[in-house]
Amino acid sequence: MGTLDGVTVLDLSRYIAGPTASMMLADQGADVIKVESVPLGDPSRQSGPYQDGHSVYFMSANRNKMSLAMDLRTAEGKDALTRIASTADVLIENFKPGTTTAMGIGAEQLAEVNPGLVYCSISGFGNGPVGSSMAGFDQNAQGMSGLMSVTGTQETGPMRVGVPIADSTTGLVAGFAIVSKLMERSRTGVGGVVQTSLMQSMNFMMTYQAQKFLSLGIVPTREGNDHPLLFPQGTFATQDSFITIASGNERMWRKLCDALGLSEIAESPLFDSNAVRMANKAQLRAIFEERLADRTSAEWISIINDSGVPCGPVLTMDEAFTHPVSEELHLSGTVKHRELGDIQVLGRPANTGDDDWLRLAPPVLGQHSSDILKEYGFTDDQVLDYIDRGIVIQG
């Protein structure tokens, strides 16, 4: 039994942000009904690459969910959704602002049939006059939030992060906000609206880079793999590859110099404080990498970590999942897919003591349509009629 056992979530969202939020709730035991459009479903199903015809893009954010494929443009589809929403706990949507209200399934409209519903709307840039007119995709949010301006080097120019960080972060933020609203509802009995956006979540994730501007008026720039405020903290070449070193304070700085056999530079006026190390970064990097070239990454990782300074490898994806810590942290799990058999999916990012959290594989489009509709009072004949008329897909 999960911490959210008994909570029912209607997930109308597509792509990554909303589905990540609902997946987080599903991993904690919530019953998530993923309502997908007819005839193609969540557009991420059409995004490759594919495992035997099934999108790995879709599978990355849709485990532990049931799929109801239904045409919400029809009166029957809207009525069915309203019936399910009347007893649901949460609804998540990431349509263009104003779309669900125009469809008759907006927050105020569904509150009339279910005052306890927590209604989560996710957008790209909010619901204001400017933001609501802008299409919201991860790429745009990475650019507009300031993230790309501090990613890369002066030579590369602005760079996006190699994953949909805005989408994923927004999903995590939305999941947190939903659970917070559910806690409030437990006291008041009333649900309400939760709103977040790619822009909000990414700007929040700018942390000290944003605060540096807000407090000091300093516009941060691209520093590549180096920490923008501390040095030496970044990625360094060794004899055979690269390692990451995180020297976070003066005590670590001296320990690191001792570990590298460079004790003589620890108190040098060129390097004896973080401020002067930042000013003389290029010179210090050259000294470090000349010494690091004497040994392999594995040797240096052991030596530097033993000194009390965090140090680690730069792993490829296959190396990350085969590293011993991956098994200890359960970074992946195995679940049976209806068509693919046993498949591996990503693990969840936090453990809450329930070992049976991985219950359902990412669903086939409409895999649970009939069962869900019947559970909410639709007869066999009604369900068959909806399927025959293309209102519902049974996968």
Side-chain angles (χ1 to χ4, degrees):
M1 179 179 294
T3 55
L4 295 179
D5 186 62
V7 172
T8 298
V9 178
L10 270 173
D11 179 15
L12 278 62
S13 63
R14 298 81 43 80
Y15 294 109
I16 295 292
T20 295
S22 63
M23 183 173 69
M24 295 288 290
L25 303 178
D27 289 350
Q28 294 304 123
D31 294 319
V32 174
I33 300 171
K34 184 176 180 65
V35 182
E36 301 191 63
S37 60
V38 172
L40 298 178
D42 185 329
S44 68
R45 289 186 182 273
Q46 283 75 59
S47 299
Y50 300 92
Q51 180 180 355
D52 294 335
H54 294 271
S55 167
V56 300
Y57 189 116
F58 174 85
M59 289 194 287
S60 71
N62 286 289
R63 61 169 179 255
N64 281 336
K65 303 178 188 179
M66 299 171 286
S67 173
L68 167 59
M70 185 166 62
D71 190 348
L72 297 180
R73 296 167 299 182
T74 65
E76 294 87 346
K78 293 176 189 175
D79 289 345
L81 181 78
T82 302
R83 183 186 299 190
I84 299 171
S86 68
T87 59
D89 299 287
V90 177
L91 185 146
I92 302 172
E93 61 90 10
N94 62 351
F95 291 101
K96 183 179 178 181
T99 299
T100 54
T101 298
M103 294 170 64
I105 53 173
E108 292 183 3
Q109 293 152 323
L110 292 183
E112 294 178 3
V113 298
N114 183 359
L117 183 67
V118 173
Y119 195 105
C120 176
S121 290
I122 299 173
S123 65
F125 301 98
N127 299 325
V130 177
S132 63
S133 68
M134 300 172 61
F137 276 79
D138 177 89
Q139 182 82 37
N140 311 58
Q142 287 200 34
M144 286 190 61
S145 65
L147 176 64
M148 287 178 63
S149 75
V150 299
T151 306
T153 66
Q154 297 306 316
E155 292 72 30
T156 65
M159 294 188 72
R160 69 180 295 277
V161 176
V163 294
I165 190 72
D167 283 337
S168 297
T169 300
T170 304
L172 297 174
V173 170
F176 171 80
I178 288 166
V179 171
S180 298
K181 200 69 173 176
L182 287 173
M183 291 185 67
E184 179 186 64
R185 189 189 69 171
S186 71
R187 298 190 299 270
T188 66
V190 179
V193 177
V194 169
Q195 294 179 338
T196 187
S197 65
L198 305 186
M199 184 69 168
Q200 282 172 280
S201 62
M202 280 315 303
N203 197 252
F204 175 76
M205 291 298 288
M206 294 302 293
T207 61
Y208 52 74
Q209 295 283 46
Q211 195 61 47
K212 185 164 66 173
F213 168 73
L214 293 173
S215 296
L216 305 174
I218 297 173
V219 178
T221 57
R222 294 179 290 279
E223 302 288 346
N225 289 324
D226 290 340
H227 194 286
L229 303 179
L230 301 168
F231 197 80
Q233 188 164 153
T235 304
F236 298 85
T238 67
Q239 187 180 89
D240 62 342
S241 59
F242 293 90
I243 57 174
T244 59
I245 298 175
S247 173
N249 54 49
E250 295 306 313
R251 186 163 171 262
M252 285 185 178
W253 158 246
R254 289 186 288 273
K255 286 184 174 183
L256 178 58
C257 288
D258 290 343
L260 296 177
L262 295 172
S263 302
E264 69 279 3
I265 72 168
E267 305 301 331
S268 165
L270 291 173
F271 309 124
D272 63 357
S273 72
N274 183 65
V276 295
R277 289 195 295 274
M278 289 290 290
N280 299 305
K281 186 191 304 187
Q283 184 178 348
L284 181 54
R285 173 177 287 280
I287 294 171
F288 266 36
E289 292 196 335
E290 181 179 6
R291 180 54 54 90
L292 291 168
D294 292 343
R295 295 176 183 266
T296 65
S297 288
E299 291 173 310
W300 280 124
I301 288 168
S302 177
I303 292 169
I304 296 172
N305 271 320
D306 286 348
S307 77
V309 178
C311 178
V314 178
L315 301 178
T316 57
M317 202 78 263
D318 57 326
E319 291 170 336
F321 277 109
T322 54
H323 193 280
V325 77
S326 176
E327 184 175 350
E328 292 177 358
L329 294 175
H330 307 290
L331 297 186
S332 65
T334 301
V335 67
K336 188 172 291 296
H337 189 276
R338 195 184 74 177
E339 295 182 4
L340 300 176
D342 286 344
I343 62 169
Q344 282 193 299
V345 294
L346 291 169
R348 59 179 177 172
N351 300 323
T352 51
D354 46 329
D355 294 332
D356 60 345
W357 67 273
L358 184 52
R359 306 180 310 279
L360 298 172
V364 172
L365 177 62
Q367 181 173 340
H368 308 92
S369 294
S370 294
D371 290 340
I372 292 169
L373 291 176
K374 291 175 186 177
E375 181 180 346
Y376 283 89
F378 290 88
T379 66
D380 290 347
D381 288 343
Q382 284 178 304
V383 173
L384 288 173
D385 176 55
Y386 287 180
I387 293 173
D388 288 342
R389 293 162 57 196
I391 297 170
V392 168
I393 292 175
Q394 173 59 47

